[in-house]
Amino acid sequence: DSPGGDTYASHALWREVRGTGPVVLHANSSRSMAYAGLVGRWARLPVVWHVRVVASDGWWDRVLAQRAARIVAVSEAVRARFAWPAAAARTCVVPNGVDVEALAQGDGAALRRHLGWGTGPLVGMVAQLLAAARVRLPAALPSRGVHVATRKKLPENRKAR
């Protein structure tokens, strides 16, 4: 991040809002809520903050919650992050739309054998791991029964900007 990055991002969002004329802004992280909250105030637009993380950002939560017309939490645990009356009144829960029962079908053992993953614990995660995030996975993970499957190259239209 450059020292002027926040200012640039806010102004870029402001230009986009002026050019497209939305009726609401949506923010899906604390950082994006900081930008959307500021631009929403400038443009007199409501901002919906979609929160997926249980861990509080401390006093920053209160500042950002003041800027949100609605706060959408993905669980009751996340909702508890906004327990003070002013925020709680504007917070609702909309669970992530994953039907675990429908997805838990099939022969997991056959897939494990095919991939050579053995019978140890298996943790699945879908994420975008960017070099800028500086994620380091220990080389010893496979010897401990932990396997990491990645798609090595992003498609041209999905590269980080």
Side-chain angles (χ1 to χ4, degrees):
D1 291 330
S2 65
D6 292 346
T7 303
Y8 176 80
S10 297
H11 282 92
L13 180 58
W14 171 243
R15 284 190 302 276
E16 186 70 21
V17 165
R18 281 192 345 211
T20 60
V23 295
V24 65
L25 298 178
H26 174 266
N28 64 4
S29 69
S30 295
R31 186 174 193 159
S32 65
M33 183 58 205
Y35 302 136
L38 182 61
V39 172
R41 178 169 279 192
W42 291 343
R44 294 189 171 102
L45 288 174
V47 181
V48 175
W49 184 13
H50 195 159
V51 184
R52 295 171 179 83
V53 179
V54 173
S56 171
D57 287 322
W59 62 269
W60 194 231
D61 277 355
R62 290 184 180 265
V63 171
L64 298 177
Q66 288 174 352
R67 307 254 189 220
R70 291 291 292 189
I71 300 168
V72 178
V74 297
S75 68
E76 289 296 333
V78 173
R79 179 187 209 156
R81 177 176 165 179
F82 304 97
W84 66 94
R90 291 178 285 118
T91 304
C92 65
V93 174
V94 178
N96 283 328
V98 176
D99 183 350
V100 176
E101 294 300 319
L103 295 174
Q105 299 184 23
D107 186 355
L111 178 60
R112 283 171 169 264
R113 281 191 303 277
H114 174 75
L115 296 173
W117 286 356
T119 59
L122 181 64
V123 176
M125 180 178 90
V126 177
Q128 181 177 7
L129 299 177
L130 300 174
R134 295 182 182 90
V135 174
R136 301 285 188 258
L137 298 174
L141 286 179
S143 67
R144 294 183 179 148
V146 177
H147 302 277
V148 179
T150 63
R151 185 164 78 184
K152 296 290 184 192
K153 185 176 179 187
L154 290 174
E156 205 55 38
N157 64 344
R158 292 287 297 150
K159 285 189 177 176
R161 293 179 255 239

